[in-house]
C-alpha cells in the first residue's frame, strides 16, 4: 500500500529500485516500519524495556513469580523459554530451581522472542491505529510486562484518539498494587 497514499521516490537504477521496493514491502508493518535513518525503533525498544527490566543471569523471584534474563516470567512463558533456548524439561526445571542460569546472549534471545509476542498483541489489538515510535514502544513495553494491560479501555481510548483517557489508564489503572517501581515505569511509558 505504500505509494498509494504518499508519493515514493525510487532510485533510477533498476537493481537499487527493486531493493527499495522489496524493503518497503517487507518493512511496511511491524517494528522495522518505525526505523528511520537517525533512530532505530528496535534498539530504542530494547533500551527502554531492558532499562526497566534489568538483566539477571540467575532466576529470581519477584512478587512470588520466577523470572530470568530481562524480566522473563518463567512460569507464564515456559513453552517460549524451552523452545527459544532449546531446553529439555529437566533443563527448564533446573532453571526454575535456580541451578541453571542464562548468559546475556540467551537473555537477549528470550527478550527478542517475548517482545515479538508483545508486538503481536499491540498489532492485533490496535490494527489501523496510527502510532508514532514512542507511543508504540510504550505500548509494547506494557504488553511485554503483562499483555492484559493492552485491554479494552486503553484500546478503545487509542482507537478514538482520546489520549487523556490513555494517559489515565496507563498512570492510574495499570498498577493496581501501587508498586513504586511499577509506578515509575508507567510514568515513563
Amino acid at each position: 500500500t505504500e505509494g498509494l497514499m504518499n508519493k515514493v521516490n525510487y532510485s533510477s537504477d533498476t537493481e537499487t529500485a527493486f531493493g527499495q521496493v522489496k524493503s518497503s514491502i517487507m518493512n511496511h508493518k511491524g517494528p522495522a516500519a518505525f526505523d528511520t535513518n537517525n533512530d532505530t525503533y528496535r534498539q530504542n525498544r530494547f533500551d527502554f524495556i531492558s532499562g526497566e527490566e534489568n538483566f539477571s543471569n540467575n532466576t529470581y523471584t519477584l512478587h512470588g513469580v520466577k523470572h530470568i534474563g530481562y524480566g522473563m516470567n518463567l512460569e507464564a512463558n515456559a513453552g517460549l523459554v524451552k523452545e527459544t533456548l532449546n531446553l529439555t524439561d529437566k533443563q527448564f526445571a533446573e532453571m526454575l530451581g535456580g541451578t541453571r542460569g542464562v548468559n546475556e546472549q540467551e537473555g537477549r534471545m528470550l527478550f527478542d522472542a517475548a517482545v515479538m509476542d508483545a508486538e503481536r498483541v499491540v498489532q492485533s489489538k490496535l490494527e489501523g491505529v496510527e502510532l508514532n515510535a514512542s507511543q508504540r514502544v510504550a505500548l509494547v513495553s506494557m504488553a511485554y510486562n503483562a499483555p492484559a494491560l493492552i485491554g479494552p479501555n486503553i484500546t478503545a481510548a487509542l482507537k478514538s484518539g482520546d489520549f487523556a483517557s490513555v494517559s489515565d489508564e496507563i498512570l492510574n489503572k495499570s498498577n493496581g498494587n501501587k508498586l513504586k517501581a511499577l509506578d515509575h515505569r508507567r510514568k515513563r511509558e
Side-chain angles (χ1 to χ4, degrees), residues 28-99:
H28 183 68
K29 286 197 175 196
F34 293 93
D35 288 349
T36 65
N37 291 337
N38 299 321
D39 202 30
T40 305
Y41 169 78
R42 288 174 278 195
Q43 186 62 48
N44 290 340
R45 179 187 63 194
F46 175 75
D47 292 345
F48 184 90
I49 297 172
S50 66
E52 295 299 327
E53 297 290 351
N54 296 316
F55 176 76
S56 176
N57 297 81
N58 301 310
T59 302
Y60 62 96
T61 302
L62 181 64
H63 307 295
V65 179
K66 295 183 180 194
H67 295 76
I68 201 162
Y70 294 100
M72 173 63 70
N73 179 330
L74 288 171
E75 294 153 4
N77 296 294
L80 180 72
V81 172
K82 288 193 280 189
E83 181 181 335
T84 301
L85 299 181
N86 198 28
L87 299 177
T88 64
D89 288 338
K90 181 179 186 258
Q91 291 169 322
F92 181 73
E94 290 169 352
M95 187 175 283
L96 272 175
T99 59

Side-chain angles (χ1 to χ4, degrees), residues 86-149:
N86 198 28
L87 299 177
T88 64
D89 288 338
K90 181 179 186 258
Q91 291 169 322
F92 181 73
E94 290 169 352
M95 187 175 283
L96 272 175
T99 59
R100 180 185 187 90
V102 295
N103 60 36
E104 280 198 57
Q105 180 182 1
E106 292 168 323
R108 182 62 189 252
M109 289 169 56
L110 291 173
F111 173 87
D112 288 341
V115 85
M116 289 315 299
D117 282 350
E119 286 281 357
R120 282 188 282 278
V121 167
V122 170
Q123 183 65 33
S124 69
K125 292 191 177 190
L126 298 170
E127 185 83 31
V129 175
E130 299 232 0
L131 300 169
N132 66 37
S134 297
Q135 291 167 328
R136 188 166 180 112
V137 165
L139 293 166
V140 169
S141 173
M142 290 177 68
Y144 183 91
N145 189 227
L149 292 174

